[in-house]
Amino acid sequence: IDIKSRFESIASQAIGLDVAVSGNVSIHLFPRLHVRLEGVTIKNAQAEIASVRDADLGLAFWPLLRQQLRIRSVILQGVDIDLVRQRDGHFNFEAESRNERTIPATNVGRVTLSKVAFRYQNQETGKEVSAKGCEFESRDVQLQEGTGREIMKRLSLTAQIDCSEMRNELFVGTNVKVTAVGHAGHFKLA
């Protein structure tokens, strides 16, 4: 089984964007079943949206025997995210209509991102926000059933986000700590 190609195909279909793995892929059985991927990129037709140096996906074993994928944990390190709200109001991560496959609802027990750099640009307003040195921790990420192109509308989570620096055209903040709460694509920061 070519795990790398299989992962790229399943992940690309699930989110409706091009997912590629440039590094090694390995499966580990102990202390828990997990897949480790190196050099993951996510692209739309024009540009790279995100890259991950190391990804570790914890999987439930028994559902795999029934051809079902249940992700227990996601740990990403060395994450770069570049989000753009385009002039037409759409985001660069919103998939084109090439993917209409319905993805079942899922609940991921733990999601951790470390060493995150984030940039958000709104081409409608000309505003930009960036952050670096961020850590993200969530213990309850839920995704409702739907297609890949509506992924943000289906996402619910509560997360703690800590960034060493966050900036926009008006301010620079250091050691910024926020809690993000989102349900069905609507998010609030506190």
Side-chain angles (χ1 to χ4, degrees), residues 102-187:
T102 298
I103 302 156
T106 189
N107 182 10
V108 179
R110 177 178 170 222
V111 175
T112 303
L113 284 69
S114 62
K115 298 181 180 139
V116 178
F118 172 83
R119 181 174 159 253
Y120 169 73
Q121 179 185 16
N122 187 326
Q123 292 179 343
E124 290 179 307
T125 64
K127 306 278 185 195
E128 189 173 306
V129 175
S130 64
K132 63 182 180 180
C134 299
E135 307 291 322
F136 172 101
E137 180 77 34
S138 181
R139 296 245 176 237
D140 187 26
V141 176
Q142 298 176 7
L143 201 57
Q144 298 169 352
E145 181 177 310
T147 62
R149 68 180 156 135
E150 56 190 25
I151 194 165
M152 290 304 289
K153 294 176 185 172
R154 303 182 304 116
L155 181 64
S156 297
L157 60 79
T158 299
Q160 179 64 41
I161 304 168
D162 300 333
C163 297
S164 62
E165 180 181 290
M166 191 174 284
R167 66 174 55 226
N168 68 12
E169 57 280 344
L170 300 175
F171 82 96
V172 175
T174 58
N175 297 320
V176 178
K177 297 180 186 307
V178 295
T179 299
V181 178
H183 180 71
H186 299 281
F187 295 90

Side-chain angles (χ1 to χ4, degrees), residues 6-19:
R6 185 87 170 120
F7 171 81
E8 291 171 338
S9 175
I10 291 170
S12 294
Q13 286 179 7
I15 64 173
L17 296 165
D18 294 321
V19 178

Side-chain angles (χ1 to χ4, degrees), residues 29 31-35 56-64 66 68-75 106-112 137-142:
L29 298 174
R32 60 179 168 60
L33 176 61
H34 63 111
V35 176
D56 191 298
L57 308 175
L59 306 175
F61 177 74
W62 295 111
L64 285 175
R66 296 185 304 273
Q68 297 172 346
L69 180 64
R70 184 171 305 146
I71 301 172
R72 293 182 170 214
S73 65
V74 175
I75 301 170
T106 189
N107 182 10
V108 179
R110 177 178 170 222
V111 175
T112 303
E137 180 77 34
S138 181
R139 296 245 176 237
D140 187 26
V141 176
Q142 298 176 7

